């Protein structure tokens, strides 16, 4: 059973370009979370999605950032017009459907390290 | 609101000696607590989790943590450090949301160094 997959692992962009980060959850998982880790800091929640629905985007910057989890294919985190401050590691996590009324354990991918020049 | 404080940003131990990584949490209701480990340039691996069952939780690689409600602590310990334990460790708190999902809140991390 493959784990959470993210690609690319490393991404270099110039200021003003777009960055697309992809996340394929574990088989059978329908919940996806995105987190951002700035240098020397812990991870910060960005957004939680289920198939075709954004459930909680309270951690997403209001501008330039968007996320989707289509019916088919991976979840995408999209950053438009990147700036140097967007340089960070972006981690995706997935969890199985909620069956006990509480949150399930999240399993993390290896992350995408974005560098904006 | 939930929060977590890792009391030490860096811990250094000698191989074969005990490890103690300290974590205090704040939660307005019964929390779930986790410890994750991150090796350099790698993803996060779950070490152990507490979800209101036994207060002493055993994890992988010989790690364990004890939930102490009176002290709002969830310290991570290991009796004998190994060189391969050198990594960044994150204490994490969550509370199940009304929609049944976890919004994880991470501590700032503790970097563990293990010396021969």
């Amino acid at each position: 059973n493959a784990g959470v997959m993210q690609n690319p692992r490393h991404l270099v962009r110039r200021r003003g370009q777009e960055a697309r980060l992809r996340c394929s959850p574990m088989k059978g998982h329908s919940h996806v979370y995105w987190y951002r880790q700035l240098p020397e800091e812990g991870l910060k929640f960005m957004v939680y999605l289920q198939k075709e629905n954004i459930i909680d985007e309270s951690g997403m910057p209001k501008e330039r950032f968007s996320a989707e989890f289509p019916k088919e294919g991976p979840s995408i985190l999209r950053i438009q017009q990147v700036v140097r401050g967007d340089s960070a590691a972006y981690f995706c996590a997935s969890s199985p459907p909620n069956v006990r009324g509480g949150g399930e354990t999240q399993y993390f991918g290896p992350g995408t390290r974005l560098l904006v020049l | 609101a939930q929060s977590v404080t890792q009391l030490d940003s860096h811990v250094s131990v000698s191989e074969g000696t005990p490890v103690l990584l300290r974590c205090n949490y704040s939660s307005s209701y019964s929390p779930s607590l986790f410890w994750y480990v991150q090796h350099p340039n790698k993803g996060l691996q779950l070490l152990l989790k507490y979800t209101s069952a036994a207060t002493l939780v055993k994890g992988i690689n010989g790690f364990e943590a004890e939930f102490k409600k009176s002290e709002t602590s969830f310290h991570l310990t290991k009796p004998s450090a190994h060189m391969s334990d050198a990594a960044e460790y994150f204490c994490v708190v969550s509370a199940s949301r009304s929609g049944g999902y976890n919004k994880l809140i991470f501590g700032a991390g503790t970097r563990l160094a293990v010396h021969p």
Side-chain angles (χ1 to χ4, degrees), chain B residues 45-66:
Chain B
Q45 181 182 20
L46 179 67
L47 277 178
L48 50 82
K49 66 176 180 179
Y50 166 79
T51 53
S52 75
T55 56
L56 182 62
V57 182
K58 293 189 183 299
I60 62 171
N61 300 336
F63 284 95
E64 62 182 38
E66 186 172 8

Side-chain angles (χ1 to χ4, degrees), chain B residues 29-77:
Chain B
Y29 36 94
S30 182
S32 294
L33 292 158
F34 308 79
W35 277 97
Y36 282 87
V37 61
Q38 183 181 30
H39 288 91
N41 296 315
K42 298 285 181 63
L44 284 85
Q45 181 182 20
L46 179 67
L47 277 178
L48 50 82
K49 66 176 180 179
Y50 166 79
T51 53
S52 75
T55 56
L56 182 62
V57 182
K58 293 189 183 299
I60 62 171
N61 300 336
F63 284 95
E64 62 182 38
E66 186 172 8
F67 174 73
K68 291 187 177 180
K69 187 175 180 179
S70 60
E71 299 176 9
T72 61
S73 69
F74 190 58
H75 301 334
L76 181 71
T77 60

Side-chain angles (χ1 to χ4, degrees), chain A residues 13-33:
Chain A
R13 285 287 178 266
R14 296 191 180 280
R15 282 178 296 169
Q17 292 183 319
E18 178 180 287
R20 280 186 179 238
L21 288 62
R22 295 175 188 77
C23 169
S24 296
M26 288 179 69
K27 187 177 181 181
H29 288 193
S30 56
H31 299 199
V32 167
Y33 306 75

Side-chain angles (χ1 to χ4, degrees), chain A residues 9 31 33 35 37 40-45 48 55-56 58 91 98 100-111 113, chain B residues 10 32 34 36 38-46 49 88 90 96-97 99-109 111:
Chain A
R9 294 290 304 275
H31 299 199
Y33 306 75
Y35 294 83
Q37 183 180 30
E40 305 299 321
E41 294 186 13
L43 280 71
K44 298 284 195 300
F45 169 83
Y48 162 60
I55 308 300
D56 182 343
S58 58
F91 289 93
N98 180 315
R100 291 195 297 268
E104 301 292 337
T105 297
Q106 293 177 30
Y107 296 87
F108 283 80
R113 281 152 182 84
Chain B
H10 292 81
S32 294
F34 308 79
Y36 282 87
Q38 183 181 30
H39 288 91
N41 296 315
K42 298 285 181 63
L44 284 85
Q45 181 182 20
L46 179 67
K49 66 176 180 179
E88 187 93 19
F90 293 99
S96 296
R97 313 291 290 181
Y101 66 96
N102 281 334
K103 189 170 172 177
L104 299 184
I105 298 165
F106 282 73
R111 189 175 300 274

Side-chain angles (χ1 to χ4, degrees), chain B residues 3 5-6 15 27-28 32 36 54 58 63 70 90 92 95 113:
Chain B
S3 67
T5 302
Q6 292 184 244
E15 190 175 20
S27 178
S28 51
S32 294
Y36 282 87
K58 293 189 183 299
F63 284 95
S70 60
F90 293 99
V92 181

Side-chain angles (χ1 to χ4, degrees), chain A residues 26-95:
Chain A
M26 288 179 69
K27 187 177 181 181
H29 288 193
S30 56
H31 299 199
V32 167
Y33 306 75
W34 285 93
Y35 294 83
R36 177 166 63 175
Q37 183 180 30
L38 294 171
E40 305 299 321
E41 294 186 13
L43 280 71
K44 298 284 195 300
F45 169 83
M46 298 181 76
V47 62
Y48 162 60
L49 311 100
Q50 295 179 17
K51 282 285 187 182
E52 300 185 275
N53 287 303
I54 297 174
I55 308 300
D56 182 343
E57 55 181 347
S58 58
M60 287 272 275
K62 294 288 187 288
E63 298 177 350
R64 300 188 297 107
F65 284 73
S66 62
E68 62 178 12
F69 189 15
K71 186 176 181 181
E72 301 291 337
S75 176
I76 306 286
L77 179 67
R78 184 182 177 205
I79 311 172
Q80 295 178 290
Q81 299 176 314
V82 296
V83 301
R84 288 211 174 110
D86 296 333
S87 295
Y90 292 83
F91 289 93
C92 167
S94 73
S95 67

